[in-house]
Amino acid sequence: MKIKEAKVFVCSPGRNFVTLRITTDEGLHGLGDATLNGREKAVATYLEEYCIPALIGKDPFRIEDIWQYFYRGVYWRRGSVTMAAISAIDMALWDIKGKALGVPVYNLIGGKSRDRILVYSHANGKTLEETVEEVHRHIASGFAAVRAQSGIPGIARTYGVPRDGQPYEPAHRGLPEETVWSTEKYLNFIPRLFRTLRDACGDEVHLLHDAHHRCTPIEAARLVKELEPNHLFWVEDAVPSELQESFRMIRAHSTTPLAVGEVFNTVYDYTTLISEQLIDYIRMPVGHGGGITHALKLAAFASFYHVRTGFHGATDLSPVAMMAALHVDTAIHNFGIQEYMPHQEIVREVFTADFRFDRGYLHVGDSPGLGVDFDEKAASRFPYIRASLPVNRKLDGTLTDW
Ligand code: EZ4
Ligand code: CO
């Protein structure tokens, strides 16, 4: 079998998605997600200009070799654009192989290690009271694990909290909007929020929180130490984590489990964090970190250090990347939890994915390949719209991490 054609589709059913479709001379096709929020066209061009011409004529079964061709074979390696493109190619090749052999992808990568996949949902409120109410609502609708983000008194808008009546989406039309941030106000509020949540919701439910890269190392240490009595499942991205060594200090202060890495894209972003056991969960998106092939290697490396997975599953990844993550979640031994932020209804007009939610868990179907379809015609009704993630400034106007 040979790769005959590959095409990139950029569509916007409610938000932008970049989809790669690889077709073989035997008429099989595979799908990959190449969405990189706010940088969609960079990945689309990278694929169209540099990858697709080199893919034509290759044997789609040689997944590892094609992966190495686009990683090691390219002098300018790594980085989110390159790795999102490689991820899309990799997913599409696993999809093709599964379809050709008539098996779901999880059966190509070790088979089922579990029957169902624990997920966490996003509860967001503008105030402490609203956030508590939202967490209750999520527990009542069946979730066993809930991430809580809240508006902070004295800050107009913050990460994770939607505007009235809209689903939460961090990217907005046009150029980046500017938001204002105060870590001081955040640190004064969040421990109170989680004390209230633990009291209100009891010991059973898993509570999670995303600090979204906003603390300095010593501020992060204070945060995880003050949250410790409330037994969170994890605190995510406590600091902007390109400085892996900062976690030595954070770790020394608390037993609150730590999750890191939704902006990472190779194993090399994790070597210190994992080998020194400075974190508990890896967040690297299967769709940004070299696809299924590299996610399996990262998970294997992490497994030797008792670090588990908590793959990214925000709505800025398409249902194709979600399916890829679910197959990995199903097969690996050191699975921890999967983020599950359901897409808007309108996304289903373009993508259909073979999984279902039941009482806190996702169940993957047994369709051959990834189990996801893409309707090209429907996609053409939703053309690309430029959208950007916000930028953040401190109260005095200094640019800070968003
Ligand atoms: O802000 O994926 O844990 N989830 C997150 C996400 C990120 C978005 C950015 O595109 O932090 O909501
Ligand atoms: Co996050």
Side-chain angles (χ1 to χ4, degrees), residues 15 36-38 120 122 147 149 159-160 168-171 210 212-213 234 236-237 262-263 283 285 288 312-317 339 341 389 402:
R15 65 160 358 279
L36 186 62
N37 204 1
Y120 72 90
H122 288 203
R147 187 189 88 157
Q149 306 296 133
Y159 164 75
Y168 176 68
E169 281 288 353
D210 191 348
H212 219 267
H213 325 266
W234 78 34
E236 175 184 347
D237 288 332
E262 74 184 22
V263 301
R283 290 276 293 144
H288 293 167
H312 198 224
T315 43
D316 50 37
L317 303 169
E339 183 180 24
M341 198 181 163
L389 290 170
W402 177 77

Side-chain angles (χ1 to χ4, degrees), residues 107-122:
N107 268 339
L108 298 174
I109 56 175
K112 282 192 177 183
S113 280
R114 58 193 48 76
D115 302 320
R116 51 192 189 276
I117 297 162
L118 176 67
V119 293
Y120 72 90
S121 66
H122 288 203

